[in-house]
Amino acid sequence: MEELVPKYDLFIQKHLFPIEKEIIYGSFKSNLPRLQALREIAKKEGLFAPHLSLHEGGLGLELMEFARISEVLGKSPLGHYIFNCQAPDIGNMELLHQFANEMLKEKYLVPLQRGDIRSCFAMTEPNNAGSNPVHLSTRATLEGNEYVINGHKWFTSSADGANFTIVMAITDPDNPNPYQRASMLLVPLDNPGYQLVRNIPIMGDIGDDYMSHGEVTFTNCRVPSSYLIGKEGQGFALAQERLGPGRIHHCMRWIGICERALDLMCRRALDRELDPGKPLSSQQTIQNWIAESAADIKASRLLVLETAYQIQHFGAKSAKEDISTIKFFVSGVMMKIIDRAIQVHGALGITDDTVLSFWYRHERGAKIYDGPDEVHKSVLARRILKSYSKP
Ligand SMILES: Cc1cc2nc3c(=O)[nH]c(=O)nc-3n(C[C@H](O)[C@H](O)[C@H](O)COP(=O)(O)OP(=O)(O)OC[C@H]3O[C@@H](n4cnc5c(N)ncnc54)[C@H](O)[C@@H]3O)c2cc1C
C-alpha cells in the first residue's frame, strides 16, 4: 500500500498542479471534458476510486490506508474529484452500499461508483439550526406506495449538475424519540417536484457544478416508497454511520491542504528577499511559523490515524469523542496554517494567483459543517468532566 502514495503524489503534481487554478477560479462546468480526460488517465493507471473494494473496481483499501491516500489527494483542490472519492459522493456511496435495496444500488450506486453520475446530500435547512440535527421541518408523507416530500434545504453541496440527492425528512413527527422521527430518501433530480433555487455565493464566489452549494426546494415531490434508504425512522442512525469515516476523509484532506500550504510558505520564504541576500526565511517569526506548522501537521496526522485505527477495529461508536476531537483540532490547524501561508506571501497571498485564497474562502466552512466545532468541543469536554462526577 505504501507504494501507492508516491504514485498519487506524482499524478497530482504532473496533471493537477499545472491546471488547478484555471479550473477553481474559472468555471468547473466548462472544464468537465478536461476533468473527464484526467479521470480516464487515473483509470488506466489503476488509481481510480481507491476507497472501493476490488470487486467494485477500486483498490480494496482499509480505512487507515485510504486515509493516507486522502492526505495526498488533499494537496490539490481537484484531487478527490479526479479519483471519484470526493464528498458528498463518497459518503453517499457508503450509505447506498450498506443500506439501499438492490434496485437502488443497480440504478444509482453502480453509476456513482463508476463516476458516470454525481449526487448530493440535503439535510440542512435555512430556517432551522443545523447544529441541532433533529430540528427539521421537511416532511415526507406516505400516500399509497409513494412518499410526498415538502421542504426547503440549503447548503446542499454540489446539487448543481447532480443526478440525485439523498434527502433527510421527517416521516414520524409524533415519535417520542426525536432521533427516530426522520428517514432518508433518494430523490432523482429530474423530479418535477424538485427545484434548484440557486447556487449560494461563498464570500463572493458563486461556483458551479461540483464546486457549488445549492439552495433547493421539494414541493409535493413524489418518489416510490422503494426509494427509502434503510428503514423508516433510521435517518439519524444512518447519518451517524455516514459521518464517522467521513470525518477521517475530511481531516486527512485538510492535512493535505496544510502540507501544500506549508510547502508554498517555505518556497516563498526562501525566494522572497527583503534585501539582496536576505530572504524572508532568515526572519525568526517566519521560522517559528514554519516549525509550528510542521509540528501541527504531524500532531494532526497522528491523531487522525489513531482515530481511523479505532474506527477500523472497534467501530465508529467506540470512537465518538476521538472523532469530535479530530474534527475541531484539524480544522483549527488548517485555518491557522492557510492564514500563515497567506501572510508569508504578503499581498500575493490574497490574490487568486495561488491556491491559498481559494482555500481561505472555501475551507472556512470546515469549522461549521459536519457539526460546528463548538458542538464537538462540548462532546469532548462532557466526557472529560464525567470522569470527575461523584460516585
Ligand atoms: C461548506 C459547507 C458545506 C455544507 N454542505 C452540506 C451538505 O452537503 N448537506 C447538508 O445538509 N448540509 C451542508 N452544510 C450545512 C452544515 O451541515 C451546517 O451549516 C451545520 O450543521 C451548522 O448549521 P447552521 O449553519 O444552521 O448553524 P447554526 O446551527 O445556526 O449554528 C450557528 C453557530 O452557533 C454555534 N453553535 C451551535 N450550536 C452550538 C452549541 N451546542 N454550543 C456552542 N455553540 C453552538 C456555532 O458557532 C455555529 O457555527 C454545509 C455547510 C458548509 C459551510
Side-chain angles (χ1 to χ4, degrees):
M1 139 66 207
E2 274 305 311
E3 74 284 357
L4 284 173
V5 173
K7 286 188 186 169
Y8 281 98
D9 211 19
L10 186 66
F11 188 108
I12 63 161
Q13 286 192 44
K14 184 170 160 197
H15 297 294
L16 305 190
F17 286 1
I19 61 161
E20 62 193 2
K21 276 191 291 191
E22 209 183 308
I23 295 173
I24 60 175
Y25 297 125
S27 155
F28 198 87
K29 202 168 273 176
S30 60
N31 279 292
L32 283 175
R34 218 169 163 194
L35 293 161
Q36 187 55 36
L38 288 171
R39 281 184 159 189
E40 295 306 322
I41 299 175
K43 283 180 190 169
K44 276 201 193 102
E45 294 188 9
L47 300 173
F48 195 67
H51 58 297
L52 296 179
S53 66
L54 293 170
H55 162 71
E56 292 163 319
L59 300 186
L61 302 179
E62 301 272 22
L63 180 62
M64 284 183 74
E65 294 173 327
F66 176 64
R68 292 278 293 118
I69 304 296
S70 194
E71 176 181 345
V72 178
L73 300 186
K75 291 182 192 176
S76 168
L78 302 175
H80 287 76
Y81 178 88
I82 292 299
F83 296 92
N84 200 29
C85 50
Q86 69 285 358
D89 297 292
I90 186 169
N92 287 347
M93 284 183 223
E94 277 167 12
L95 257 185
L96 295 178
H97 174 79
Q98 284 190 63
F99 303 107
N101 58 40
E102 288 310 312
M103 178 275 296
L104 290 179
K105 280 186 184 168
E106 198 174 315
K107 222 168 155 182
Y108 296 99
L109 176 60
V110 172
L112 190 63
Q113 289 175 331
R114 282 201 207 112
D116 295 342
I117 59 172
R118 277 199 304 97
S119 65
C120 51
F121 185 74
M123 180 161 170
T124 309
E125 302 177 349
N127 301 324
N128 293 313
S131 45
N132 176 7
V134 298
H135 192 28
L136 294 174
S137 299
T138 300
R139 294 274 185 276
T141 316
L142 194 58
E143 285 183 12
N145 61 359
E146 282 183 332
Y147 280 101
V148 184
I149 308 168
N150 281 288
H152 185 183
K153 302 282 187 183
W154 82 337
F155 276 87
T156 303
S157 297
S158 314
D160 182 11
N163 175 278
F164 70 88
T165 188
I166 293 175
V167 62
M168 182 81 110
I170 300 288
T171 42
D172 185 6
D174 301 323
N175 194 307
N177 182 346
Y179 289 93
Q180 290 175 2
R181 288 180 192 156
S183 304
M184 283 191 193
L185 289 148
L186 189 149
V187 179
L189 296 188
D190 59 0
N191 190 307
Y194 164 85
Q195 197 195 350
L196 172 62
V197 179
R198 61 168 177 152
N199 285 336
I200 307 161
I202 305 297
M203 300 193 190
D205 182 12
I206 195 162
D208 69 347
D209 200 76
Y210 170 66
M211 285 190 171
S212 65
H213 303 282
E215 178 173 345
V216 306
T217 54
F218 301 86
T219 312
N220 295 323
C221 178
R222 290 175 173 270
V223 290
S225 55
S226 56
Y227 278 49
L228 179 72
I229 299 168
K231 295 195 180 106
E232 236 191 53
Q234 274 192 334
F236 293 112
L238 303 192
Q240 280 312 112
E241 289 288 334
R242 188 180 184 276
L243 284 176
R247 295 227 170 87
I248 299 290
H249 306 159
H250 272 311
C251 286
M252 291 308 283
R253 183 174 66 79
W254 297 341
I255 293 171
I257 293 173
C258 292
E259 283 184 52
R260 178 88 181 278
L262 175 59
D263 178 61
L264 293 171
M265 197 192 310
C266 292
R267 288 174 193 276
R268 183 70 178 172
L270 288 165
D271 277 0
R272 188 69 160 174
E273 291 187 328
L274 297 169
D275 245 337
K278 190 181 170 196
L280 258 185
S281 59
S282 63
Q283 301 304 297
Q284 200 177 30
T285 301
I286 309 289
Q287 292 169 0
N288 283 348
W289 287 344
I290 290 169
E292 284 166 11
S293 301
D296 281 342
I297 290 171
K298 201 163 186 179
S300 298
R301 187 186 299 111
L302 289 172
L303 263 182
V304 180
L305 289 178
E306 191 202 16
T307 306
Y309 178 90
Q310 181 78 13
I311 296 176
Q312 189 174 310
H313 294 281
F314 306 103
K317 236 183 187 163
S318 74
K320 190 171 173 243
E321 287 86 6
D322 290 338
I323 293 170
S324 282
T325 306
I326 58 169
K327 162 59 180 58
F328 73 77
F329 185 80
V330 185
S331 65
V333 162
M334 173 176 62
M335 288 316 295
K336 200 163 54 180
I337 295 180
I338 294 172
D339 191 63
R340 282 178 190 145
I342 287 176
Q343 193 69 14
V344 169
H345 281 73
L348 174 63
I350 60 166
T351 68
D352 291 350
D353 290 354
T354 80
V355 286
L356 294 169
S357 67
F358 175 84
W359 279 327
Y360 191 76
R361 184 188 296 153
H362 288 287
E363 296 303 339
R364 176 61 181 82
K367 293 170 80 64
I368 298 167
Y369 63 72
D370 271 11
D373 283 6
E374 293 72 24
V375 175
H376 290 288
K377 286 178 186 172
S378 288
V379 169
L380 178 62
R382 278 200 303 266
R383 213 279 309 273
I384 294 168
L385 292 170
K386 213 171 159 187
S387 66
Y388 289 86
S389 60
K390 290 182 186 127

PDB file of all heavy atoms in Angstrom, residues 2 21 32 52 135 146 148 150 155 175 240 268 271 304 310 316 353:
ATOM      1  N   GLU A   2       1.960   1.282   0.785  1.00  0.00           N
ATOM      2  CA  GLU A   2       2.802   2.485   0.845  1.00  0.00           C
ATOM      3  C   GLU A   2       3.330   2.884  -0.531  1.00  0.00           C
ATOM      4  O   GLU A   2       3.578   4.058  -0.796  1.00  0.00           O
ATOM      5  CB  GLU A   2       3.965   2.284   1.825  1.00  0.00           C
ATOM      6  CG  GLU A   2       3.616   2.600   3.275  1.00  0.00           C
ATOM      7  CD  GLU A   2       3.038   3.998   3.496  1.00  0.00           C
ATOM      8  OE1 GLU A   2       3.608   4.990   3.001  1.00  0.00           O
ATOM      9  OE2 GLU A   2       1.989   4.110   4.154  1.00  0.00           O
ATOM     10  N   LYS A  21      -5.593  26.063 -10.963  1.00  0.00           N
ATOM     11  CA  LYS A  21      -6.048  27.450 -10.731  1.00  0.00           C
ATOM     12  C   LYS A  21      -7.061  27.879 -11.790  1.00  0.00           C
ATOM     13  O   LYS A  21      -8.064  28.516 -11.487  1.00  0.00           O
ATOM     14  CB  LYS A  21      -4.846  28.411 -10.749  1.00  0.00           C
ATOM     15  CG  LYS A  21      -4.150  28.466  -9.388  1.00  0.00           C
ATOM     16  CD  LYS A  21      -3.157  29.598  -9.331  1.00  0.00           C
ATOM     17  CE  LYS A  21      -2.024  29.298 -10.229  1.00  0.00           C
ATOM     18  NZ  LYS A  21      -0.841  29.972 -10.297  1.00  0.00           N
ATOM     19  N   LEU A  32     -15.442  20.306 -17.609  1.00  0.00           N
ATOM     20  CA  LEU A  32     -15.758  18.893 -17.362  1.00  0.00           C
ATOM     21  C   LEU A  32     -15.076  17.931 -18.344  1.00  0.00           C
ATOM     22  O   LEU A  32     -14.565  16.893 -17.922  1.00  0.00           O
ATOM     23  CB  LEU A  32     -17.281  18.674 -17.356  1.00  0.00           C
ATOM     24  CG  LEU A  32     -17.997  19.134 -16.079  1.00  0.00           C
ATOM     25  CD1 LEU A  32     -19.515  18.990 -16.211  1.00  0.00           C
ATOM     26  CD2 LEU A  32     -17.514  18.361 -14.855  1.00  0.00           C
ATOM     27  N   LEU A  52     -13.031   2.088  -2.990  1.00  0.00           N
ATOM     28  CA  LEU A  52     -13.954   0.978  -3.258  1.00  0.00           C
ATOM     29  C   LEU A  52     -13.241  -0.369  -3.149  1.00  0.00           C
ATOM     30  O   LEU A  52     -12.017  -0.455  -3.269  1.00  0.00           O
ATOM     31  CB  LEU A  52     -14.550   1.129  -4.663  1.00  0.00           C
ATOM     32  CG  LEU A  52     -15.428   2.359  -4.897  1.00  0.00           C
ATOM     33  CD1 LEU A  52     -15.930   2.370  -6.341  1.00  0.00           C
ATOM     34  CD2 LEU A  52     -16.612   2.385  -3.933  1.00  0.00           C
ATOM     35  N   HIS A 135     -33.865  19.041  14.512  1.00  0.00           N
ATOM     36  CA  HIS A 135     -34.746  20.190  14.320  1.00  0.00           C
ATOM     37  C   HIS A 135     -34.958  20.408  12.819  1.00  0.00           C
ATOM     38  O   HIS A 135     -34.308  21.242  12.200  1.00  0.00           O
ATOM     39  CB  HIS A 135     -34.065  21.390  14.976  1.00  0.00           C
ATOM     40  CG  HIS A 135     -34.922  22.599  15.128  1.00  0.00           C
ATOM     41  ND1 HIS A 135     -36.276  22.553  15.247  1.00  0.00           N
ATOM     42  CD2 HIS A 135     -34.585  23.916  15.189  1.00  0.00           C
ATOM     43  CE1 HIS A 135     -36.738  23.784  15.367  1.00  0.00           C
ATOM     44  NE2 HIS A 135     -35.733  24.623  15.328  1.00  0.00           N
ATOM     45  N   GLU A 146     -46.261   5.809  -2.439  1.00  0.00           N
ATOM     46  CA  GLU A 146     -45.331   6.913  -2.746  1.00  0.00           C
ATOM     47  C   GLU A 146     -45.127   7.789  -1.506  1.00  0.00           C
ATOM     48  O   GLU A 146     -46.058   7.994  -0.715  1.00  0.00           O
ATOM     49  CB  GLU A 146     -45.902   7.806  -3.851  1.00  0.00           C
ATOM     50  CG  GLU A 146     -45.771   7.226  -5.240  1.00  0.00           C
ATOM     51  CD  GLU A 146     -46.299   8.213  -6.294  1.00  0.00           C
ATOM     52  OE1 GLU A 146     -47.183   9.033  -5.977  1.00  0.00           O
ATOM     53  OE2 GLU A 146     -45.807   8.134  -7.421  1.00  0.00           O
ATOM     54  N   VAL A 148     -44.516  11.644  -0.351  1.00  0.00           N
ATOM     55  CA  VAL A 148     -44.660  13.003  -0.875  1.00  0.00           C
ATOM     56  C   VAL A 148     -43.805  13.914   0.018  1.00  0.00           C
ATOM     57  O   VAL A 148     -44.045  14.018   1.231  1.00  0.00           O
ATOM     58  CB  VAL A 148     -46.137  13.460  -0.851  1.00  0.00           C
ATOM     59  CG1 VAL A 148     -46.273  14.834  -1.490  1.00  0.00           C
ATOM     60  CG2 VAL A 148     -47.020  12.439  -1.552  1.00  0.00           C
ATOM     61  N   ASN A 150     -42.105  17.562   1.105  1.00  0.00           N
ATOM     62  CA  ASN A 150     -42.206  19.019   1.061  1.00  0.00           C
ATOM     63  C   ASN A 150     -41.172  19.609   2.009  1.00  0.00           C
ATOM     64  O   ASN A 150     -41.120  19.212   3.187  1.00  0.00           O
ATOM     65  CB  ASN A 150     -43.610  19.480   1.475  1.00  0.00           C
ATOM     66  CG  ASN A 150     -44.603  19.317   0.339  1.00  0.00           C
ATOM     67  OD1 ASN A 150     -44.571  20.056  -0.657  1.00  0.00           O
ATOM     68  ND2 ASN A 150     -45.459  18.311   0.459  1.00  0.00           N
ATOM     69  N   PHE A 155     -27.365  24.690   1.416  1.00  0.00           N
ATOM     70  CA  PHE A 155     -26.024  24.093   1.549  1.00  0.00           C
ATOM     71  C   PHE A 155     -26.040  22.618   1.150  1.00  0.00           C
ATOM     72  O   PHE A 155     -25.360  21.793   1.742  1.00  0.00           O
ATOM     73  CB  PHE A 155     -25.421  24.343   2.933  1.00  0.00           C
ATOM     74  CG  PHE A 155     -24.758  25.697   2.977  1.00  0.00           C
ATOM     75  CD1 PHE A 155     -25.493  26.827   3.290  1.00  0.00           C
ATOM     76  CD2 PHE A 155     -23.438  25.834   2.601  1.00  0.00           C
ATOM     77  CE1 PHE A 155     -24.912  28.083   3.249  1.00  0.00           C
ATOM     78  CE2 PHE A 155     -22.851  27.092   2.566  1.00  0.00           C
ATOM     79  CZ  PHE A 155     -23.587  28.219   2.883  1.00  0.00           C
ATOM     80  N   ASN A 175     -43.219  10.628  16.967  1.00  0.00           N
ATOM     81  CA  ASN A 175     -42.441   9.627  17.699  1.00  0.00           C
ATOM     82  C   ASN A 175     -41.833  10.276  18.945  1.00  0.00           C
ATOM     83  O   ASN A 175     -41.212  11.340  18.846  1.00  0.00           O
ATOM     84  CB  ASN A 175     -41.325   9.065  16.791  1.00  0.00           C
ATOM     85  CG  ASN A 175     -40.717   7.805  17.371  1.00  0.00           C
ATOM     86  OD1 ASN A 175     -40.289   7.759  18.521  1.00  0.00           O
ATOM     87  ND2 ASN A 175     -40.708   6.760  16.570  1.00  0.00           N
ATOM     88  N   GLN A 240     -25.250   9.004  11.277  1.00  0.00           N
ATOM     89  CA  GLN A 240     -24.091   8.759  12.144  1.00  0.00           C
ATOM     90  C   GLN A 240     -23.091   7.832  11.463  1.00  0.00           C
ATOM     91  O   GLN A 240     -21.898   8.051  11.493  1.00  0.00           O
ATOM     92  CB  GLN A 240     -24.534   8.144  13.492  1.00  0.00           C
ATOM     93  CG  GLN A 240     -25.055   9.152  14.477  1.00  0.00           C
ATOM     94  CD  GLN A 240     -24.149  10.382  14.615  1.00  0.00           C
ATOM     95  OE1 GLN A 240     -24.522  11.479  14.217  1.00  0.00           O
ATOM     96  NE2 GLN A 240     -22.957  10.209  15.145  1.00  0.00           N
ATOM     97  N   ARG A 268       8.113  30.388  -0.771  1.00  0.00           N
ATOM     98  CA  ARG A 268       8.049  31.849  -0.824  1.00  0.00           C
ATOM     99  C   ARG A 268       9.064  32.477   0.148  1.00  0.00           C
ATOM    100  O   ARG A 268       9.729  33.462  -0.179  1.00  0.00           O
ATOM    101  CB  ARG A 268       6.625  32.308  -0.475  1.00  0.00           C
ATOM    102  CG  ARG A 268       6.394  33.808  -0.560  1.00  0.00           C
ATOM    103  CD  ARG A 268       6.421  34.296  -1.987  1.00  0.00           C
ATOM    104  NE  ARG A 268       6.156  35.731  -2.076  1.00  0.00           N
ATOM    105  CZ  ARG A 268       6.261  36.439  -3.177  1.00  0.00           C
ATOM    106  NH1 ARG A 268       6.621  35.864  -4.302  1.00  0.00           N
ATOM    107  NH2 ARG A 268       6.017  37.734  -3.175  1.00  0.00           N
ATOM    108  N   ASP A 271      12.442  32.321  -1.463  1.00  0.00           N
ATOM    109  CA  ASP A 271      12.586  33.111  -2.702  1.00  0.00           C
ATOM    110  C   ASP A 271      12.538  34.621  -2.474  1.00  0.00           C
ATOM    111  O   ASP A 271      13.230  35.389  -3.134  1.00  0.00           O
ATOM    112  CB  ASP A 271      11.423  32.797  -3.665  1.00  0.00           C
ATOM    113  CG  ASP A 271      11.713  31.549  -4.463  1.00  0.00           C
ATOM    114  OD1 ASP A 271      12.795  30.979  -4.253  1.00  0.00           O
ATOM    115  OD2 ASP A 271      10.844  31.146  -5.272  1.00  0.00           O
ATOM    116  N   VAL A 304      -5.448  11.727  13.757  1.00  0.00           N
ATOM    117  CA  VAL A 304      -6.457  11.211  12.821  1.00  0.00           C
ATOM    118  C   VAL A 304      -6.228   9.723  12.555  1.00  0.00           C
ATOM    119  O   VAL A 304      -7.177   8.936  12.532  1.00  0.00           O
ATOM    120  CB  VAL A 304      -6.464  12.014  11.494  1.00  0.00           C
ATOM    121  CG1 VAL A 304      -7.514  11.454  10.540  1.00  0.00           C
ATOM    122  CG2 VAL A 304      -6.741  13.481  11.756  1.00  0.00           C
ATOM    123  N   GLN A 310      -9.051   3.176  15.482  1.00  0.00           N
ATOM    124  CA  GLN A 310     -10.132   2.872  16.426  1.00  0.00           C
ATOM    125  C   GLN A 310     -11.424   2.525  15.670  1.00  0.00           C
ATOM    126  O   GLN A 310     -12.087   1.534  15.974  1.00  0.00           O
ATOM    127  CB  GLN A 310     -10.336   4.118  17.317  1.00  0.00           C
ATOM    128  CG  GLN A 310     -11.396   3.989  18.385  1.00  0.00           C
ATOM    129  CD  GLN A 310     -10.917   3.181  19.583  1.00  0.00           C
ATOM    130  OE1 GLN A 310      -9.727   2.912  19.717  1.00  0.00           O
ATOM    131  NE2 GLN A 310     -11.851   2.752  20.416  1.00  0.00           N
ATOM    132  N   ALA A 316     -17.326   3.004  14.683  1.00  0.00           N
ATOM    133  CA  ALA A 316     -17.379   4.466  14.857  1.00  0.00           C
ATOM    134  C   ALA A 316     -17.913   4.846  16.248  1.00  0.00           C
ATOM    135  O   ALA A 316     -17.493   5.842  16.832  1.00  0.00           O
ATOM    136  CB  ALA A 316     -18.235   5.095  13.769  1.00  0.00           C
ATOM    137  N   ASP A 353      -3.743  34.304  -7.524  1.00  0.00           N
ATOM    138  CA  ASP A 353      -2.575  33.788  -8.262  1.00  0.00           C
ATOM    139  C   ASP A 353      -1.987  32.538  -7.594  1.00  0.00           C
ATOM    140  O   ASP A 353      -1.072  31.921  -8.132  1.00  0.00           O
ATOM    141  CB  ASP A 353      -1.483  34.869  -8.384  1.00  0.00           C
ATOM    142  CG  ASP A 353      -1.913  35.977  -9.334  1.00  0.00           C
ATOM    143  OD1 ASP A 353      -2.987  35.840  -9.957  1.00  0.00           O
ATOM    144  OD2 ASP A 353      -1.186  36.984  -9.442  1.00  0.00           O
TER     145      ASP A 353
END
